[in-house]
Every structure is written in C-alpha cells, then in structure tokens.
Amino acid sequence: MHQRSPPTPQGEFSVSPSKSPRSDWLKQQPTDAMVATDFDMSNRKNDSNTVADCDIPVHTFPTNLPLLTAVLMAAGTTGGTTYAFGLFGAALKANLHLQQSELDTISAATFCAGLLSWAPGMFVDRFGARLAITIGGLSGACSLLLYWAVATERFPVSREWAVAALSALGVWVYVSSAAVTGSVFKVIVGTCGGGTKGSAVGAAKGYVGLGTGAYATIFAALRGPDGPDRKSNLNKDLNFLPMCAFFAVAVASLPAACLLPRGGGLGALSGRVDGATPCHFRVLFTGLFGLGAVVVGRSLLELRQEDSGSGGDGPDRNIWVAALVVLLWFGPIMTLPCIPPAVATANDQREDCEEGVSLLLRNGEDDGVSDSAMAVERPTTEADQTSENPPDDGSTPQSTAAVAANVSIHQRMEEEDTGLLASDDDGDDEGGAPAAPAATKHSTPPCVLPQLNLRQMLSQTSAWAMFFTFSVLGGSGTIMTNNVGQMVEALGLPPSTASAALALFSVAQAGSRVATGAVSEAAASWDVRCWGGGTGVPRPAFLVAASLAAAASHALLAMATGRVIFIVGVVLSGAAFGMIWPLMVLITEECFGKKHHGANYMFYDGSASAVGTLLLSKFLAQWVYEGHIQEGGDSENDTTCVGEECFRLSHIIVSLLALSCVVPSVAVMYNTRHIYQRDDAKREPVGIQTSNGTCA
C-alpha cells in the first residue's frame, strides 16, 4: 500500500537553488502570534469542477494585529493637532498682540499645507510606514515645541517675523501629521482583507475625528483653574502644544518603531494574515463610543456650569477624568493582540488554494509558470506518481501544474524579499506592475487591479470626479467648524449654543466615519443588483448618500431661525462630512491600487481638503458675511453681522454644490463598476480580465 509522504512542516518549503529569508524569519516568531494555515487535502475526492491538487504546505504567517495596534494608536494624534487651532488661537492672539487678519493668516497657512500632502505620501510609499511614522511623530513634536516657544515668547521673535515663523511651523506640523496619516491607512489597506478593511478604516477615522475632542478633554482636566495673572493664564492655554508633542512621540513614534516592519513598499506588509475578527471591532467600537460619550458629556457639563454661573475661574484639575479618557482611547487598541485572532477554515483554505492555482494557470505564460519552471526538492519521490498509477489510499497526487503554481507562489514571496518584484518607484512603469498581495484569510480576486502612481491616477476621469466631490463635501463641513460661532451670533442664539453645536458636530462626524467604513464593507455583500451584473452595493454609492445628506443639511441651515433647526442641520452636516473620510481611503485603494496608496490618498486628504476649505469656508463665507454687515450690522461694531442673511446665501450655494456632487459620484460608480462587481455565489470581486492581466 502506498504511504503518503508527510507534509512539509508548517512555515517551511524547500526550493532550489535559492532559499527565502522570510522562512528563517518566520521560524523565529513566537507560536502564539501565528495563525496556522497549513492544510491537508488528502481526503478530498477529485471533482471535475475543482482543483484537487491542493495538498500544498502553506506558510505559518504572523497576524497583522500588532501592526493595527501601532497605526490605530497613531491615528488619533493626527486629528488632535490638525483641527485644534481653535483651542489655543485666542491665547496666541492675546499673548503676541496679533491682529485678527494675522491670526487668520497663520490658520490658513496650515490648511494650505494640504496642497503638499502628496509629498509625505510618496515618502511613505518609498520608505515604509515604520520610518514615516517614527520621523513624522518626532518631527511633529519638535515643531510643536518650537511653536510653543515662539508663542510663549520663550524664544523671542520680533513682531514682523512672528507671523511668518508661526505659519512655517504650522506647515511643518501639518506635513509631519500627513506622514503619519498616510502611513496609518497604507498599513490598513495593505494588511486587511475584504470584510475587515472597511471596519478597520472606519475605526481609524473615528479616532482621527475624536482626536481633537480627546485632547481638549485631557487638557481641560489637567490645566486647572485660572489664576490672578493674565499672562500666566495665557501660557497655561498654550501648554496644550507640548502636551500634543508628548503624545506624538509616546503614542505614534515609539509604537511604530517597535511594532511595524522595516522596509518600504508592499513587500514589508506582505506575509501577514488578517487576524481581525468581529470581536476585535466590537472592542474598538465600544471604546470609541465611550470616548465620545465622555468628550460630549464633559463639554455639556462645562456649558451648563457657564450658563448657571457656577464655573468660576474654570474647572478644577481632575486627573481621574484625564486618566479615563486615556484608558478609553488606548485601552481597547492595546488589547487587540490579546484577543484570539481569526483562523482560516478548511473551506477558506481550499478556496484560496484553488483560486490561487487557477489564477496562476490562467496567467501562466505571463508569470513564467511552466512545468519546468524550476526544480523542487520534495520530501520523497513517491508523490511524483502519475495519474496512471494513483495511490490506493484515496488521496490525490499533486499534478505538475499545481506544483508549478505552488512554486510560483513561494517564488513570488522570495522575490518580494529580495526586491525582484518591486517596480521602479519613479512611476515609469506603465500601469504599475502589481506587487504580490498580502496574505489574508480571504480569497484573492481572479483579477489583478492596476497599481497607478499619482501621475497615472490624475490622468483618469474618475480621479478628478472624486476630487470635486471630496473638495465640496470637505468644504461643506469645515465651513461649519470655522464659522459656527459667528453663525450663532448672527442668529441671536445663546452663546453656549456654539460650543454645544461644535461638540455635537464632532461626535456626529466621528460616528459617521466609523459607521460608513463598516456599513460600506457589509453592503458589498448585500443581495442588490448593480451595473454589469453581479450583486452588492459599490462603495462609490455612499458618495451619493453623502452628497444628498450635505445638501439637505445646508438647506436646513439656510432656513434656520431657531436653535432646534440649527442643531439638527449641524448634526446632519457633521454626519455628511464624516462619511467622506473612510470612503476617500477605500475607494482610492480599490480603484488605483495599494502600491502608491500613500501618495494617491494623501493627494485627496490634503489637496481636496485645502481647496474646499479655502474656497467655501474662507472666501465664500467671508464674502457673504462681509457683504451683509452694512445691512444688519451692529452700530457699535462695523465688523459684526447680525441677521439671518449673514450666512443664508453661503448655505444655499453649498447646498447646491453638494447636490451637484451626485453627478460625478454616479459617474465614478459607473466607471468603476467592474471593480465592485460581485459574483452571486461567492460575494467576491469578479472584475473584467483583459489581455494584459489588468481589470478594465
């Protein structure tokens, strides 16, 4: 009786003449951080509709959970500094005796830096997330400390140079944060598969959205009440900056240096099993909910104290509140590696093997896969029996094609280690040769999507349609965050309404970020017919929903005369604003590839945000506001506008622009329908295979 040869030990394979460096590295990893994906198909019956030659020993890979831990911790530090200017702007103005126009210049310079955000994205693509987050965190901390030194006059600068110095430092802070932001989402899309990617992006964007509120709550709990010295009180407010610098190093740079792999490109992220489970995301979402509840509760409590006159000189120092926020922020993230990871089922492994072999055989000529591709050292020679002399124990021998496919899989992994599969980073490769995909528990789509660099992406019509949509919807949100105080004043609402509205806007947009990532991922498997056949809701469809929500919110704000309608409009505006951020990450990766995702995504994250903020939040709102000062102005102050007309036209224009975003959003849905087409049975991307191996 034929005795089946024992399978190759987990995590090992033997290829002649070269030897993979990843094999030696994997042997050194602790077994509790691994997920066994080795499987044995010896008892499977040969079926004409499946590939039975799948008795292939597969690597034992480490999971992506340590990587997710590092990048989720870093995510909150980016929003905390980018959107926090309003927390210390008044103290900066008073301490340096600045004009309002000079303060606006400093603030605008920070947002204009978004036009350069593609540069740190390229750095991420070239040198990797580990180096980018480490340098970005350290660089951001240095710039924040210098900013604090100039603002508190510890580093004396003349009045003529103060605005220029602070503007330059603001740009430095933004660019450093952009390096961290690009790295966070590069790691997520590079290591998470279908079913978890949307939820992971949504969670990361949720931490970005709550970052400013968390920073503000921690600082308010540690600051303490005002004293008799006004100068000292102003310096207390400016101490917010060194606190941000501390978190940039402790929460971003150090975890990244310890947990993220070295190297750039997708090769550094490959070989990681997607170990995230619904339990991991339930923990993250619970933490986000608790963090948001504490932030909003603290804000509303302060508003109530101000209205009742019991606030005094400010809240007392309360270290327990600060500790609670830190625990809710970082506690759930740090528990991720402690929760059991996902383990691929036998059926998942069977489908992965069959589809991998099928894909390699389909593209065998292009990949150089042939029966004599390379010699394989096998444990015994008994497995080389042909179908004319099958084993009598019911098992199925490996065919030559399956062996060649298996060797090609391992050969790709080896070449990736030595850089043989990496294409030039200068973007000269037409169409972008795709890198080997990261190992996940999900099947590989039978279609290789293009890996476009920034120049190639901007030659696509869909890229500019997305840019218009992101710019308008981004500006529709920042017009609220930058002008909500003036809106409340113009409508004659109580001053406490401004702080309450801003807190509700923050929570609405953070919740929308989380929900959009998770729901758009689940919607891909809904039994809904889409263009081109197949089922599932394509991700760009949520851009249509965001456009309609933004249009409705500003229509309500244009009609608002009282507090209730105003608050409803603000909350709906925050929800629409939050929707675009996870969609920006996911659609960019799915339509233009992972390889250059850092530069491609940061182009939208920075440039689209800067354009929308400058055109709508600054120029449009300022033009309409100043145009109505004479009609409803305060006789004692000719710079204040009072009345419903101060922002009504701005809201109407923004509402119409948001409504117009439905057209380019539908165009993106149509142009990318092949990417989101789903097979009815497997609920996985099908795509349209072209002669050159890309999806068209």
Side-chain angles (χ1 to χ4, degrees):
M1 179 180 293
H2 169 75
Q3 297 293 328
R4 188 174 183 84
S5 59
T8 305
Q10 292 180 2
E12 298 181 10
F13 61 92
S14 180
V15 181
S16 178
S18 63
K19 191 173 183 180
S20 171
R22 182 181 278 113
S23 298
D24 296 332
W25 174 79
L26 285 169
K27 294 176 185 177
Q28 302 173 3
Q29 303 303 306
T31 56
D32 58 354
M34 313 276 241
V35 173
T37 58
D38 193 25
F39 61 97
D40 188 354
M41 305 289 290
S42 60
N43 295 324
R44 286 188 56 225
K45 294 181 179 180
N46 193 354
D47 189 286
S48 59
N49 295 325
T50 61
V51 180
D53 303 319
C54 283
D55 187 11
I56 303 174
V58 183
H59 271 286
T60 300
F61 293 101
T63 71
N64 64 340
L65 295 179
L67 280 66
L68 291 180
T69 301
V71 297
L72 288 174
M73 291 182 70
T77 65
T78 60
T81 55
T82 303
Y83 302 108
F85 186 79
L87 297 176
F88 60 88
L92 178 66
K93 177 182 177 182
N95 203 48
L96 297 181
H97 308 288
L98 300 176
Q99 300 283 341
Q100 182 62 39
S101 59
E102 293 174 325
L103 190 67
D104 291 341
T105 299
I106 297 172
S107 176
T110 302
F111 282 101
C112 288
L115 298 173
L116 305 174
S117 60
W118 50 268
M122 286 185 171
F123 184 90
V124 174
D125 293 332
R126 177 65 179 86
F127 297 102
R130 183 174 187 257
L131 187 61
I133 295 181
T134 303
I135 293 179
L138 293 173
S139 175
C142 292
S143 58
L144 286 167
L145 291 176
L146 284 175
Y147 201 115
W148 171 76
V150 173
T152 57
E153 299 182 311
R154 285 176 170 81
F155 186 83
V157 177
S158 63
R159 173 70 179 275
E160 293 75 14
W161 289 98
V163 175
L166 293 174
S167 298
L169 289 170
V171 171
W172 188 0
V173 171
Y174 189 96
V175 172
S176 300
S177 296
V180 177
T181 302
S183 301
V184 167
F185 296 103
K186 176 86 171 186
V187 169
I188 291 177
V189 301
T191 61
C192 292
T196 63
K197 180 173 59 179
S199 297
V201 170
K205 282 297 184 182
Y207 283 112
V208 173
L210 284 175
T212 302
Y215 272 6
T217 304
I218 294 172
F219 182 70
L222 298 177
R223 180 186 182 276
D226 290 335
D229 185 10
R230 181 173 180 271
K231 183 75 171 179
S232 176
N233 294 333
L234 293 175
N235 287 338
K236 275 187 177 181
D237 291 335
L238 293 170
N239 286 339
F240 177 82
L241 297 169
M243 187 197 75
C244 294
F246 167 78
F247 278 105
V249 175
V251 180
S253 294
L254 291 181
C258 296
L259 298 177
L260 294 182
R262 296 181 179 180
L266 291 177
L269 301 177
S270 63
R272 296 274 176 173
V273 172
D274 184 5
T277 65
C279 182
H280 290 90
F281 292 113
R282 281 195 294 268
V283 170
L284 290 176
F285 295 159
T286 300
L288 283 167
F289 178 82
L291 183 61
V294 172
V295 170
V296 174
R298 179 79 176 183
S299 300
L300 296 178
L301 179 61
E302 292 179 0
L303 291 176
R304 184 176 180 181
Q305 291 176 346
E306 290 179 3
D307 291 342
S308 63
S310 60
D313 295 325
D316 294 331
R317 183 178 287 109
N318 192 335
I319 193 172
W320 297 110
V321 173
L324 177 61
V325 173
V326 171
L327 179 63
L328 290 172
W329 187 353
F330 302 114
I333 300 175
M334 296 177 68
T335 61
L336 293 183
C338 303
I339 300 174
V343 179
T345 64
N347 187 59
D348 291 334
Q349 295 165 343
R350 170 176 174 265
E351 292 182 358
D352 286 347
C353 175
E354 291 176 354
E355 293 190 10
V357 170
S358 176
L359 174 62
L360 288 169
L361 293 180
R362 187 188 309 125
N363 298 322
E365 183 178 351
D366 294 335
D367 294 337
V369 177
S370 63
D371 291 351
S372 59
M374 56 191 303
V376 182
E377 297 176 5
R378 309 176 72 176
T380 65
T381 58
E382 292 178 328
D384 290 323
Q385 296 184 23
T386 61
S387 59
E388 287 80 1
N389 186 23
D392 53 6
D393 61 352
S395 61
T396 305
Q398 286 184 315
S399 68
T400 306
V403 172
N406 181 34
V407 170
S408 180
I409 294 173
H410 297 318
Q411 183 183 23
R412 289 189 180 197
M413 295 169 59
E414 292 178 340
E415 291 176 344
E416 193 178 87
D417 280 332
T418 57
L420 297 179
L421 276 180
S423 59
D424 295 336
D425 290 304
D426 56 5
D428 293 337
D429 50 332
E430 290 298 324
T440 69
K441 64 177 179 287
H442 300 280
S443 303
T444 302
C447 163
V448 180
L449 295 175
Q451 305 291 320
L452 305 183
N453 58 32
L454 182 60
R455 175 180 57 82
Q456 294 165 339
M457 182 189 76
L458 295 181
S459 66
Q460 307 292 314
T461 304
S462 295
W464 291 107
M466 291 165 56
F467 182 84
F468 175 79
T469 301
F470 291 142
S471 297
V472 172
L473 298 184
S476 71
T478 56
I479 195 175
M480 299 303 302
T481 59
N482 294 340
N483 299 283
V484 66
Q486 292 171 300
M487 292 179 185
V488 169
E489 182 182 39
L491 292 174
L493 301 177
S496 59
T497 305
S499 299
L502 196 57
L504 292 172
F505 180 93
S506 176
V507 172
Q509 60 94 14
S512 178
R513 292 172 187 239
V514 176
T516 301
V519 173
S520 66
E521 192 73 32
S525 299
W526 290 352
D527 189 14
V528 178
R529 287 287 172 181
C530 61
W531 273 315
T535 59
V537 178
R539 196 125 27 205
F542 287 85
L543 286 178
V544 178
S547 301
L548 295 174
S553 67
H554 283 275
L556 283 175
L557 290 168
M559 298 183 294
T561 57
R563 177 185 285 190
V564 175
I565 296 180
F566 180 78
I567 291 295
V568 171
V570 168
V571 171
L572 186 57
S573 175
F577 177 70
M579 288 182 68
I580 67 172
W581 300 107
L583 296 175
M584 190 183 293
V585 176
L586 296 165
I587 296 176
T588 301
E589 179 265 327
E590 290 161 348
C591 293
F592 308 118
K594 297 179 180 180
K595 181 180 177 183
H596 303 283
H597 182 265
N600 294 343
Y601 160 65
M602 289 310 299
F603 169 77
Y604 289 118
D605 185 272
S607 299
S609 300
V611 170
T613 298
L614 291 175
L615 293 182
L616 300 183
S617 177
K618 182 173 176 58
F619 296 136
L620 174 63
Q622 184 176 351
W623 171 68
V624 174
Y625 184 86
E626 293 179 351
H628 290 85
I629 287 178
Q630 298 301 326
E631 297 180 14
D634 188 340
S635 59
E636 297 181 357
N637 188 352
D638 59 0
T639 63
T640 302
C641 179
V642 177
E644 301 170 5
E645 300 297 327
C646 296
F647 286 95
R648 175 170 290 174
L649 182 59
S650 298
H651 291 309
I652 292 174
I653 293 175
V654 171
S655 180
L656 293 176
L657 286 173
L659 192 61
S660 70
C661 289
V662 172
V663 176
S665 298
V666 172
V668 172
M669 286 177 58
Y670 180 79
N671 291 338
T672 61
R673 63 193 183 280
H674 57 280
I675 297 174
Y676 296 98
Q677 183 181 346
R678 303 277 162 167
D679 182 82
D680 287 336
K682 296 185 178 181
R683 298 291 191 267
E684 293 173 350
V686 174
I688 301 175
Q689 187 77 23
T690 62
S691 59
N692 62 357
T694 62
C695 294

